[in-house]
């Protein structure tokens, strides 16, 4: 719903409300002008609706033109079909959301990975002529709804899903705003770039250009098989989801200046599987130079990578299950010919129920190309893309999560790169949530400046708005400078292993130290016994 205050105060004295598709109107300088066909639904309480409609249009156009004169960076990108940007693949027209932020949705960053491109690295997106409307979502990647709060079906699901979205307040490339690229979680089985929990408008209003993206999931993003490795010029199979993310970051490098972003200040951040993706991108030589800071929320991929032998054996078992038991080129051709829904059904739980017990489990693999080493080994050897990081966990998702975050932080600081550690402790005030605690994923909306959880059952607190503002301030400042501190919030100390300094983000935003140190030291010791690398 969009609001327009009257510019002709002697004629129109109330706020006029509209609820119509943006594409049916003219957008000037972020002000949407209704067309006359909308007249019957507007101002119906006025006796001379048609004349009032014309006067309203004149008033809004005048106000829009005045806005253009004050903000030429917006006016320069305006057309009668919306706000336009030229990317390396063609021109795009975006829209303006209810908060006044410019949004470009459904931008293809790679070719559809369908047909013969299934289980291959992403290829460049095709060029287009004319102006492509970027005012609606692209399809989400193929998945089940395994989480009640992640519904991928509104936009539809498809293997043709490699799209991204951009939020910005300024199309002037001279402004060079920090860029925040979000990678969603969902166990590598679920999620998409336009979930309500990571809507980018609030961070854009703070001064960032925000990018969210889709990447391949489940069997489509992680299937690995020796025959796929044999056909690859890099002798690699699997990790297609990480390759998608790298392709999106290359798109950001090449195009984000057209949206007002600074390609030399790109921050990647993600939660759960998104955090593991961020850790994997730090370990991948293919992502070198594509980002400059990173935030890892409740996931970092330490200890998560499997060997080729293990993952390829799982791939052969799954291929046999769907009728392709041999290990040759013909097998891959047969697998690529299997319909999308048939592959998805075969990967689901054998009991037919929703949940996490999938027949095919997506796994990161040390493939020798995308991920030559485990994340911890890459950090220790200095071969990783080591950038300043913020790492953390929520207060009640388990000791292992925080111990892993602390270990990652220590591995980065051992390379003499600054790192910041946090613990998120916000809990809803009601009795049910006090028992539930600060659950896994509870921090996502707050890091985006959204002052409430997406799930209504997570309850509310008197400090939700203040926490969301503070946390998103820290995240934005870190994207801008590599330091979360900006002088407006309590000082967040750089991590130091001698004190185990961390920031508590909850009812109070306060620096603390040495949280359950003996417990986390013992978890590190157990990791070393398993062969994990720990400082």
């Amino acid at each position: 719903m969009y609001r327009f205050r009257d510019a002709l105060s002697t004629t129109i004295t109330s706020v006029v409300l509209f609820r119509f598709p943006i594409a049916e109107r003219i957008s000037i300088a972020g002000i949407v002008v209704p067309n006359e066909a909308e007249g019957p639904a507007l101002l119906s309480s006025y006796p001379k609706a048609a004349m009032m409609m014309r006067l309203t249009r004149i008033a809004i156009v005048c106000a829009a033109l005045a806005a253009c004169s004050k903000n030429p960076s917006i006016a320069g990108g305006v057309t009668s079909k919306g706000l336009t940007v030229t990317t390396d693949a063609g021109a795009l027209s975006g829209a303006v959301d209810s908060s006044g932020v410019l949004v470009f949705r459904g931008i293809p960053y790679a070719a559809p990975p369908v047909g013969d491109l299934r289980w291959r690295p992403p290829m460049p997106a095709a060029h287009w002529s004319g102006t492509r409307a970027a005012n609606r979502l692209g399809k989400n990647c193929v998945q089940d709804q395994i989480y009640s709060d992640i519904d991928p079906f509104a936009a539809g699901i498809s293997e043709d899903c490699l799209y991204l979205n951009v939020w910005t307040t300024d199309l002037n490339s001279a402004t060079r705003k920090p860029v925040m690229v979000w990678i969603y979680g969902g166990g590598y089985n679920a999620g998409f770039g336009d979930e309500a929990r990571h809507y980018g408008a609030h961070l854009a209003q703070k001064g960032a250009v925000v990018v969210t993206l889709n990447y391949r999931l489940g069997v489509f993003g992680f299937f690995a098989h020796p025959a796929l490795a044999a056909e690859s010029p890099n002798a690699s199979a699997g990790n297609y989801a990480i390759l998608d993310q790298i392709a999106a970051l290359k798109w950001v490098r090449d195009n984000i200046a057209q949206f007002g972003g600074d390609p030399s200040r790109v921050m990647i951040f993600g939660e759960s599987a998104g955090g593991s993706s961020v850790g994997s991108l730090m370990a991948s030589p293919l992502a070198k130079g594509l980002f400059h800071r990173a935030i890892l929320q409740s996931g970092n991929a330490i200890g998560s990578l499997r060997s080729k032998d293990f993952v390829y054996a799982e791939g052969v078992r799954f291929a046999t299950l769907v009728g392709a038991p041999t290990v040759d080129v013909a097998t891959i051709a047969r697998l690529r010919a299997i319909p999308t829904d048939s592959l998805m059904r075969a990967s689901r739980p054998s009991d037919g129920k929703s949940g996490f017990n999938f027949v095919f489990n997506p796994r990161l693999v040390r493939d020798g190309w995308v991920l030559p080493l485990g994340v911890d080994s890459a950090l220790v050897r200095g071969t990783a893309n080591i950038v300043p990081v913020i790492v953390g966990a929520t207060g009640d998702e388990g000791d292992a999560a925080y111990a892993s975050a602390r270990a990652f932080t220590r591995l980065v600081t051992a390379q003499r790169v600054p790192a910041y550690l946090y613990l998120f402790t916000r809990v809803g005030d009601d009795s049910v949530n006090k028992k539930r605690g600060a659950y896994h994923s509870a921090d996502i909306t707050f890091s985006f400046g959204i002052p409430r959880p997406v799930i209504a059952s997570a309850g509310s607190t008197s400090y939700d708005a203040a926490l969301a503002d503070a946390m998103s301030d820290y995240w934005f400042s870190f994207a801008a400078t590599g330091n979360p501190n900006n002088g407006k919030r309590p000082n967040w100390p750089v991590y130091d292993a001698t004190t185990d300094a961390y920031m508590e983000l909850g009812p109070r935003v306060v620096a603390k130290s040495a949280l359950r140190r003996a417990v986390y030291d013992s978890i590190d010791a157990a990791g070393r016994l398993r062969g994990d690398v720990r400082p």
Side-chain angles (χ1 to χ4, degrees):
M1 188 173 287
Y2 294 82
R3 295 174 183 261
F4 302 95
R5 299 217 177 260
D6 55 308
L8 298 178
S9 58
T10 59
T11 307
I12 305 171
T13 60
S14 65
V15 177
V16 183
L17 301 178
F18 304 87
R19 190 193 293 268
F20 289 83
I22 291 174
E24 295 179 6
R25 308 188 188 101
I26 299 171
S27 176
I28 302 178
I31 298 175
V32 182
V33 183
N35 60 51
E36 290 195 21
E38 296 172 335
L42 299 170
L43 301 167
S44 58
S45 62
Y46 292 89
K48 297 182 179 180
M51 181 172 290
M52 293 301 296
M53 184 74 256
R54 293 187 180 92
L55 289 172
T56 301
R57 286 174 59 81
I58 293 168
I60 294 171
V61 169
C62 290
L65 293 174
C68 289
S69 68
K70 293 178 181 179
N71 193 346
S73 66
I74 292 179
V78 170
T79 70
S80 63
K81 294 184 178 180
L83 301 153
T84 60
V85 169
T86 301
T87 70
D88 57 5
L92 296 165
S93 65
V96 182
D97 76 0
S98 57
S99 64
V101 172
L102 316 182
V103 188
F104 295 80
R105 289 188 170 91
I107 303 172
Y109 68 84
V114 299
D116 191 53
L117 295 184
R118 180 189 281 175
W119 301 315
R120 292 187 191 273
M123 300 298 290
H127 289 242
W128 60 84
S129 58
T131 300
R132 179 188 178 111
N135 59 2
R136 63 180 60 187
L137 297 176
K139 298 286 188 182
N140 296 323
C141 294
V142 179
Q143 59 193 279
D144 261 337
Q145 186 174 0
I146 60 175
Y147 301 94
S148 62
D149 57 331
I150 300 179
D151 179 3
F153 301 118
I157 59 171
S158 172
E159 286 189 73
D160 176 4
C161 63
L162 300 186
Y163 300 93
L164 56 77
N165 314 298
V166 180
W167 288 260
T168 184
T169 57
D170 195 340
L171 298 180
N172 187 347
S173 60
T175 59
R176 299 181 69 84
K177 297 174 181 293
V179 182
M180 303 176 72
V181 180
W182 173 256
I183 303 172
Y184 55 80
Y188 291 127
N189 274 312
F192 54 95
D194 201 59
E195 293 175 46
R197 75 183 75 230
H198 41 72
Y199 191 74
H202 295 275
L203 288 172
Q205 288 171 328
K206 288 182 182 287
V209 175
V210 181
V211 179
T212 66
L213 59 105
N214 292 346
Y215 60 86
R216 283 174 279 183
L217 298 165
V219 68
F220 303 97
F222 291 90
F223 178 68
H225 190 282
L228 283 172
E231 77 170 11
S232 165
N234 304 292
S236 168
N239 293 331
Y240 303 109
I242 305 302
L243 287 166
D244 293 343
Q245 295 162 15
I246 291 169
L249 289 171
K250 288 180 178 178
W251 184 95
V252 168
R253 177 196 62 195
D254 297 340
N255 295 283
I256 206 64
Q258 304 305 313
F259 297 83
D262 184 350
S264 69
R265 288 191 295 166
V266 174
M267 185 189 83
I268 55 176
F269 65 134
E271 186 271 344
S272 192
S276 291
S277 294
V278 171
S280 299
L281 291 166
M282 290 182 67
S284 177
L286 304 185
K288 188 174 183 61
L290 296 177
F291 57 93
H292 313 94
R293 14 249 187 218
I295 298 179
L296 304 92
Q297 302 173 218
S298 300
N300 53 54
I302 283 183
S304 297
L305 274 65
R306 298 298 186 96
S307 69
K308 287 193 290 186
D309 288 346
F310 181 90
V311 177
Y312 289 3
E314 287 195 330
V316 170
R317 284 195 293 273
F318 182 76
T320 301
L321 177 69
V322 295
T326 59
V327 182
D328 53 29
V329 174
T331 293
I332 298 304
R334 287 196 294 274
L335 289 168
R336 287 191 172 120
I338 294 175
T340 302
D341 59 347
S342 298
L343 269 181
M344 188 62 203
R345 280 198 305 271
S347 73
R348 289 171 177 162
S350 55
D351 61 6
K353 297 178 181 178
S354 63
F356 302 96
N357 186 29
F358 276 68
V359 173
F360 179 88
N361 292 297
R363 302 189 195 278
L364 297 166
V365 56
R366 293 190 301 275
D367 65 334
W369 180 49
V370 182
L371 293 169
L373 298 169
V375 174
D376 46 6
S377 296
L379 289 170
V380 166
R381 296 187 189 186
T383 60
N385 308 305
I386 302 179
V387 296
V389 296
I390 291 175
V391 193
T394 63
D396 294 288
E397 59 185 333
D399 284 331
Y402 187 82
S404 179
R406 191 189 72 157
F408 194 99
T409 304
R410 288 183 167 190
L411 290 167
V412 171
T413 56
Q415 300 296 320
R416 298 185 178 182
V417 175
Y420 301 85
L421 184 62
Y422 77 87
L423 184 70
F424 181 85
T425 60
R426 181 267 182 202
V427 175
D429 285 338
D430 59 282
S431 59
V432 172
N433 278 291
K434 286 180 179 178
K435 291 180 180 179
R436 185 183 192 186
Y439 58 89
H440 184 71
S441 80
D443 55 336
I444 297 175
T445 55
F446 293 88
S447 61
F448 275 82
I450 301 169
R452 62 192 177 281
V454 168
I455 307 173
S457 63
S460 62
T461 77
S462 60
Y463 58 84
D464 277 353
L467 178 59
D469 196 37
M471 196 165 171
S472 57
D473 263 1
Y474 284 129
W475 265 229
F476 169 73
S477 296
F478 188 72
T481 68
N483 184 331
N485 297 299
N486 59 13
K488 298 190 299 183
R489 303 289 178 184
N491 184 66
W492 189 335
V494 176
Y495 180 79
D496 182 341
T498 62
T499 63
D500 271 351
Y502 70 98
M503 202 71 170
E504 183 173 312
L505 300 169
R508 295 178 62 212
V509 175
V510 59
K512 294 185 176 181
S513 62
L515 176 68
R516 294 170 58 81
R517 190 165 193 167
V519 173
Y520 302 132
D521 286 348
S522 68
I523 293 174
D524 280 351
R528 293 186 194 97
L529 291 175
R530 293 193 305 268
D532 295 342
V533 179
R534 295 291 183 270

